[in-house]
Amino acid sequence: MSLIEIKNIKKNFIQGEITVEALRGINLEIETGEFTAIVGPSGSGKTTLLNLIGALDKPTSGEVVIDSQHISSLTKNELSDFRLYKIGFVFQAYNLIPVLTALENVEYTLMLQNISKQERKDRAMKLFEEMDMANLSHRFPRELSGGQQQRVAVARALVTSPRVVLADEPTANLDSDTAHKLLDIMSSMGEKTHTTFLFSTHDQKVMDRAKRLIKIRDGLIEK
């Protein structure tokens, strides 16, 4: 069985008296360990699809199955736990907590999982060392460059050893060299841990690195 199964997913948004069909019947399977990019023009449905896979939203109809779990039928609390333990998120805007250091930002999800203080620190610092960030672990987000903040965000996504990492335009705010380094890190981590990476992107650098491209236009996958 595939790690992710999307079965005839449709998603509508109501805007006043108008119904916008963001996704119009998506069928898709993603295997464990894939390094895949969802691509398409603005408004095509990329981010909507990523949000449904990440259990941040529910489909209007159809099913999302991840790791044999039918997430559309989960309660709010069950969805919260599912996201906490199974999915890592990397956002274009970093979404770091400004009052926490880089290390504390990465440890935060482990704290929510009730992992002990020493193990939290050990696991976070191991990632920082692999990313050449150990000397910056004590800094606050405002003291880091955009590329450094995004590396912290990637470490936060990976530290829980999730089944899936969802990355929405993760290189959009980065210069070319930093973007390539970040993709190197994610690609290497994916190969080591068999984590599945799913990107939503306009960035040709991400498309070139992806092992598979899924093209979406007008809420449908292009054949």
Side-chain angles (χ1 to χ4, degrees):
M1 180 183 285
S2 301
L3 178 64
I4 300 171
E5 291 181 276
I6 308 295
K7 301 178 180 180
N8 197 30
I9 282 294
K10 297 180 181 180
K11 180 63 180 179
N12 298 336
F13 294 100
I14 308 298
Q15 294 181 353
E17 297 180 359
I18 300 171
T19 298
V20 178
E21 296 178 310
L23 297 176
R24 300 190 293 131
I26 299 282
N27 290 284
L28 181 63
E29 293 189 6
I30 305 286
E31 303 296 330
T32 297
E34 279 198 35
F35 202 76
T36 294
I38 302 170
V39 301
S42 294
S44 59
K46 301 187 303 296
T47 297
T48 300
L49 179 58
L50 219 63
N51 286 344
L52 294 177
I53 294 171
L56 295 173
D57 201 356
K58 288 195 173 187
T60 301
S61 63
E63 274 193 296
V64 180
V65 183
I66 302 179
D67 205 17
S68 302
Q69 182 77 61
H70 291 252
I71 64 173
S72 307
S73 61
L74 298 179
T75 66
K76 191 174 180 180
N77 286 341
E78 288 169 339
L79 281 172
S80 240
D81 284 344
F82 183 85
R83 288 191 295 267
L84 180 60
Y85 288 94
K86 295 292 181 88
I87 299 177
F89 295 94
V90 181
F91 301 100
Q92 179 179 343
Y94 318 136
N95 287 8
L96 300 180
I97 301 170
V99 296
L100 300 182
T101 64
L103 179 64
E104 289 166 341
N105 265 282
V106 174
E107 288 183 284
Y108 186 71
T109 47
L110 295 176
M111 185 181 71
L112 295 177
Q113 291 183 351
N114 295 315
I115 302 297
S116 72
K117 187 174 182 179
Q118 189 58 53
E119 186 179 346
R120 291 199 307 261
K121 184 175 181 180
D122 290 345
R123 284 166 65 172
M125 285 307 298
K126 183 173 185 292
L127 278 173
F128 276 131
E129 285 160 11
E130 291 178 5
M131 293 181 173
D132 295 324
M133 290 273 290
N135 62 325
L136 302 176
S137 64
H138 63 286
R139 292 193 181 180
F140 291 94
R142 66 179 179 275
E143 299 171 322
L144 300 172
S145 70
Q148 290 166 343
Q149 289 186 61
Q150 194 61 299
R151 274 189 278 172
V152 174
V154 170
R156 179 182 58 190
L158 291 169
V159 75
T160 58
S161 302
R163 297 284 280 145
V164 183
V165 172
L166 302 176
D168 191 10
E169 300 283 6
T171 58
N173 297 325
L174 306 180
D175 64 75
S176 184
D177 185 52
T178 302
H180 279 299
K181 286 178 181 175
L182 193 71
L183 290 166
D184 285 342
I185 288 166
M186 289 191 277
S187 179
S188 173
M189 295 281 184
E191 288 172 6
K192 284 181 193 172
T193 62
H194 304 292
T195 302
T196 300
F197 281 84
L198 193 57
F199 299 86
S200 165
T201 188
H202 288 99
D203 190 341
Q204 190 62 48
K205 293 183 289 298
V206 179
M207 297 182 211
D208 290 343
R209 189 66 64 91
K211 302 294 194 294
R212 177 185 177 194
L213 293 180
I214 297 166
K215 297 180 181 178
I216 291 187
R217 184 177 292 274
D218 299 327
L220 291 168
I221 292 177
E222 290 189 322
K223 303 298 184 187

